[in-house]
Amino acid sequence: MTIRLYDTSARQIRDFTPLRAGCVSIYLCGATVQAAPHIGHIRSGLNFDIMRRWFAYRGYEVTFVRNVTDIDDKIITKAHEQGRPWWSIGYENERAFNDGYTALGCLPPTYEPRATGHVTEMVEMMQRLIERGHAYAVDGNVYFDVRSFPHYLQLSRQELDNLLQPSGEGETGKRDPRDFAMWKAAKPGEPTWPTPWGEGRPGWHLECSAMAHKYLGSAFDIHGGGLDLIFPHHENEIAQAKAYGDDFAQYWVHNAWVTMAGDKMSKSLGNSVLVSEMVKQWRPIVLRYYLGTPHYRSMIEYSEESLREAESAFARIEGFVQRVTELAGKNVEPADQVPPAFAEAMDDDLGVPQALAVVHTTVRQGNSALAADDKDAAVARLAEVRAMLGVLGLDPLDAQWAGESEKGEDLHGVVDSLVRLVLDQRESARARKDWATADTIRDQLNQSGLVIEDSPQGPRWTLGQR
């Protein structure tokens, strides 16, 4: 049993060897809370939630840190635009992010530090970097000297001479335009903290280096985030941390984007799909299936059609779970072990698409057992399906999703009563061998979005594709 992960820094899949036997430490770049999250933001949380669940299944003790960037240029800009305190913008959107993570079934992180709670650690890091000749202060700003760190740009594999470093307003006095800001001098109307170099606020890159050190120490196993963070954010994190003296992350894992019309989903492009709105249109467990089941390194091109396909695919799984549960007359517990083919797929760089194929194959086997009236085989397949779905956070019988069924229970009961009246008419037609009328009733129900199945226990209905 060896888990293998694609390491961005090595550009290849590597066997995972933890720094401490039986333990895995993960740092994920979390939300920058200038606005409410769209599904592209939440995809990252989902991908690393599945990673975390798989490590836990494999017996690892997982420490999972997901930070909150609650001070940043964009947050300050939003505060000025809306005439509100910067901290109220951040807190409101931090809650929106947590609501989104929770709605889609993400486990809470072990630690979720806010940047503004770790200024002391940032000042200490800058002091040491200045002492070691890797940073310098000027005009109240503190910059990292990129030429002082020979391994700079190894993650993104760029050439320093060709580098265009993003720069912010007020970043004066740089020795080299490619040097990046760790601390930004105070400006009127902006939040500030005291430092030996004057009042100011932290730079984005410094925040994560300091928080990773605080919660995971000088070395940890996995650093994660979206592809867009490789440069400049992760590259600059590495430079700060290693120049400070940390070994930092041993593996770099990056998830791909959710795109619309080929563009990365983002607030600036105006093409974002807010999680708060999506969960009103789609069941959260379906959204999790849609966002969490493609391979984490594959782009997802958003469309309602692909969401409908995900809804139908999950309905087939859910229908099987429901049918066997009804047949067994009790809750069938998940199996102790997932099928070997599922485990092999997950061990291979979290191959969720291949693992999901095992789920669907097992569902088909279970349906065949139902058709053959083989209750024991059907129950055994359900136990395997529940074990696999649990790893993916998609078990419809898990307490996480219990509220979903409860919300629709009253409406389901009303619809069931109405459908039963129509099905009774269909059964009467079948009894008198009026097949034309029976087929017409079935077809009309199908057109209304209901799928009718004739089982040994009588006809049953489920919602079909939208």
Side-chain angles (χ1 to χ4, degrees), residues 175-354:
R175 297 174 183 170
D176 186 311
R178 291 160 293 199
D179 294 345
F180 62 87
M182 294 190 293
W183 191 260
K184 301 188 177 187
K187 300 186 188 70
E190 289 190 358
T192 63
W193 288 262
T195 75
W197 315 285
E199 295 277 334
R201 61 182 175 86
W204 176 32
H205 316 303
L206 177 65
E207 296 171 351
C208 284
S209 296
M211 287 186 284
H213 178 87
K214 168 81 173 182
Y215 292 93
L216 297 176
S218 61
F220 57 95
D221 293 307
I222 299 168
H223 197 311
L227 284 172
D228 52 326
L229 299 183
I230 294 175
F231 181 84
H233 186 49
H234 289 165
E235 197 72 79
N236 293 350
E237 276 189 68
I238 292 170
Q240 292 163 152
K242 293 201 170 185
Y244 176 78
D246 287 354
D247 286 335
F248 212 49
Q250 307 304 297
Y251 297 80
W252 287 86
V253 179
H254 292 92
N255 64 277
W257 304 327
V258 178
T259 61
M260 293 180 72
D263 289 323
K264 172 178 172 283
M265 188 174 286
S266 68
K267 302 182 189 77
S268 60
L269 289 176
N271 61 3
S272 59
V273 183
L274 295 181
V275 176
S276 59
E277 294 303 313
M278 293 293 287
V279 295
K280 296 175 185 176
Q281 304 171 49
W282 304 89
R283 293 170 58 207
I285 196 169
V286 170
L287 282 175
R288 182 179 177 100
Y289 184 96
Y290 171 67
L291 293 171
T293 54
H295 194 273
Y296 75 90
R297 290 194 285 121
S298 299
M299 297 292 181
I300 299 175
E301 175 67 16
Y302 171 78
S303 71
E304 286 205 6
E305 180 183 357
S306 57
L307 249 171
R308 283 193 294 271
E309 291 171 357
E311 182 181 51
S312 295
F314 185 72
R316 291 192 291 273
I317 297 172
E318 195 171 33
F320 167 71
V321 172
Q322 182 181 355
R323 286 190 292 275
V324 180
T325 302
E326 291 173 357
L327 177 65
K330 62 179 181 178
N331 195 23
V332 177
E333 292 299 319
D336 292 335
Q337 300 290 326
V338 298
F342 181 95
E344 183 179 352
M346 292 298 292
D347 281 341
D348 188 13
D349 195 30
L350 303 175
V352 174
Q354 294 78 14

Side-chain angles (χ1 to χ4, degrees), residues 143-159:
Y143 299 111
F144 187 91
D145 180 355
V146 297
R147 290 193 176 274
S148 74
F149 184 66
H151 304 296
Y152 189 58
L153 301 179
Q154 280 194 354
L155 181 66
S156 57
R157 301 196 178 185
Q158 300 181 78
E159 294 291 335

Side-chain angles (χ1 to χ4, degrees), residues 28-46 66-70 75 78 89-109 112 114 265-267 272-276 279:
L28 174 63
C29 283
T32 299
V33 288
Q34 84 269 20
H38 56 64
I39 58 174
H41 293 127
I42 298 300
R43 183 193 182 185
S44 179
L46 278 174
R66 185 183 67 213
N67 77 292
V68 176
T69 298
D70 61 341
I75 295 171
K78 288 278 186 182
I89 298 279
Y91 183 62
E92 175 184 284
N93 292 311
E94 179 183 340
R95 292 187 65 179
F97 267 88
N98 283 331
D99 288 346
Y101 291 132
T102 300
L104 270 63
C106 293
L107 300 171
E112 192 169 26
R114 294 189 185 102
M265 188 174 286
S266 68
K267 302 182 189 77
S272 59
V273 183
L274 295 181
V275 176
S276 59
V279 295

Side-chain angles (χ1 to χ4, degrees), residues 327-384:
L327 177 65
K330 62 179 181 178
N331 195 23
V332 177
E333 292 299 319
D336 292 335
Q337 300 290 326
V338 298
F342 181 95
E344 183 179 352
M346 292 298 292
D347 281 341
D348 188 13
D349 195 30
L350 303 175
V352 174
Q354 294 78 14
L356 193 64
V358 180
V359 174
H360 282 286
T361 296
T362 308
V363 166
R364 287 193 295 271
Q365 292 169 348
N367 283 329
S368 296
L370 284 173
D373 205 20
D374 187 344
K375 178 180 175 180
D376 290 343
V379 167
R381 299 294 79 73
L382 175 56
E384 293 172 347

